[in-house]
Structure formats: structure tokens, C-alpha cells
Amino acid sequence: MEFSELLKSINSLEDSYPPVHLWNPGLCEGVEMRIDREGNWYYQNSIIGRDKLKVLFSRILKFEAGHYYLVTPVEKVVVKVDIAPYMIIDYEVDPELENIILKTNLEYNFPLDESHPMDLRLLGKESIPFVKVRDQLEGFISRSVFYGLVELALKQEQHSDSELMLTSSGKQFSLGSIE
């Protein structure tokens, strides 16, 4: 498949977040797509530099059977993802320090809440905070944002003797053990 064909197929979609969960087209072989740890997208090992194109691709991303795919009604392409397709690059918090909005690198914002939980996972020797972004898609929280959330959790004073807790939308999330 040519890149221009894939782009034409995606541009024909009308909804900003189409119902990819309803689409089950055949797999398109021979196309290499990848998202690296820094949130860079690649097509056939060439970096995709246009942010609008990455945002467009993120809207047709689907996770099924342990793999990520770009999906249109007529085809799907495997996307290899180093950590997670979304990276949390910023956040906002209300003046009462009770509700947090997370901001992704792909122009998608959402609350840290029960529907979008956060958990820490060990990858190698590194503990990485993950959050459910939308549908079955996850994001990981960048280091600078994580440090900001740690500072916020200390201001909230919700931690125990052994664990630092962050509160958002009435739910508590662990930021790790206090040593």
C-alpha cells in the first residue's frame, strides 16, 4: 500500500473519532508503522514530521488481540509501539487540587478518574506510570509530568507512611512507595 492511498482513505472519514471498534477489515501486509518511546511516528522507517497527520492517525488507532492497528473500513495496518501510543505531556489541575486533566501529545485531553485510571508498571528496571486514555488505548506519563504530579500529591497530603497517593475526581492513585 502506498502512503498516499492510506492518507486518502483516512481523509475520507467524517467523524473525529470514528467507530474503529466496529471495523474488522483485512490486514494490509508490507507496511511498517511504528511509534517510538518519544512519541515519534514512523512510516516505512521514515519519521512522520507533520503533527496533524499523527493526530489524524491516532484517531483511527485500535488495540486488539495484543496489537495496535491503524484501521479504516477497508484495511488495517499493524503499528509497532515501543511503550504506548499516547504520551502524557502536560496536565491541569483545578484551584482546589481535586481534579486533574491530562494532556497528550496527540491533542487529546481527559480527566484522571475512575474511567481513566493510572497504574505503575515495571519495564526493565524502570517504573513507568501508565493511564487508560480511550477505548483500549493507553498512554504513559512523561517524566516531567510525573514529577509535577508527585509535587501535587505532596500538596494534597493524602499519602500514607509507605505510599504516595494522588487524588483526582474522588479517586486515589498510587505514585509509588515512599522509601
Side-chain angles (χ1 to χ4, degrees), residues 154-166:
L154 292 171
K155 288 179 185 175
Q156 290 178 337
E157 299 180 353
Q158 298 288 321
H159 54 277
S160 67
D161 290 337
S162 61
E163 195 169 19
L164 182 60
M165 301 301 288
L166 176 69

Side-chain angles (χ1 to χ4, degrees), residues 13-14 18 29-30 38 47 68 94 115 161 167 173 178:
L13 301 173
E14 294 180 15
E29 302 285 345
E38 303 302 318
I47 195 162
Y68 292 97
D94 65 359
S115 298
D161 290 337
T167 301
F173 303 94
I178 299 173

Side-chain angles (χ1 to χ4, degrees), residues 97-115:
L97 307 179
E98 295 176 354
N99 300 294
I100 301 167
I101 301 294
L102 299 175
K103 299 179 177 191
T104 74
N105 60 326
L106 298 167
E107 298 180 5
Y108 188 79
N109 304 334
F110 60 95
L112 179 61
D113 60 14
E114 189 171 344
S115 298

Side-chain angles (χ1 to χ4, degrees), residues 1-13 20 22-31 43 57 60-62 64 68-79:
M1 167 194 269
E2 293 295 320
F3 190 73
S4 59
E5 292 173 21
L6 179 61
L7 187 56
K8 185 178 179 181
S9 179
I10 292 167
N11 280 332
S12 69
L13 301 173
V20 296
L22 301 176
W23 300 341
N24 294 303
L27 185 63
C28 182
E29 302 285 345
V31 177
Y43 171 77
F57 283 154
I60 60 163
L61 199 59
K62 179 180 182 179
E64 68 180 10
Y68 292 97
Y69 299 95
L70 290 183
V71 182
T72 71
V74 295
E75 60 201 351
K76 70 180 176 182
V77 173
V78 174
V79 180

Side-chain angles (χ1 to χ4, degrees), residues 33-123:
M33 297 282 302
R34 184 172 76 91
I35 306 170
D36 72 13
R37 183 184 178 116
E38 303 302 318
N40 296 310
W41 287 59
Y42 296 84
Y43 171 77
Q44 304 293 75
N45 295 318
S46 294
I47 195 162
I48 299 172
R50 293 176 32 203
D51 289 339
K52 289 189 180 221
L53 189 55
K54 293 185 279 190
V55 169
L56 185 63
F57 283 154
S58 74
R59 293 180 177 169
I60 60 163
L61 199 59
K62 179 180 182 179
F63 185 75
E64 68 180 10
H67 300 284
Y68 292 97
Y69 299 95
L70 290 183
V71 182
T72 71
V74 295
E75 60 201 351
K76 70 180 176 182
V77 173
V78 174
V79 180
K80 294 179 181 168
V81 177
D82 287 357
I83 295 183
Y86 285 92
M87 180 170 42
I88 312 308
I89 59 169
D90 203 359
Y91 69 96
E92 288 182 5
V93 63
D94 65 359
E96 292 80 28
L97 307 179
E98 295 176 354
N99 300 294
I100 301 167
I101 301 294
L102 299 175
K103 299 179 177 191
T104 74
N105 60 326
L106 298 167
E107 298 180 5
Y108 188 79
N109 304 334
F110 60 95
L112 179 61
D113 60 14
E114 189 171 344
S115 298
H116 304 93
M118 177 178 60
D119 66 291
L120 295 174
R121 295 187 203 150
L122 198 59
L123 293 180

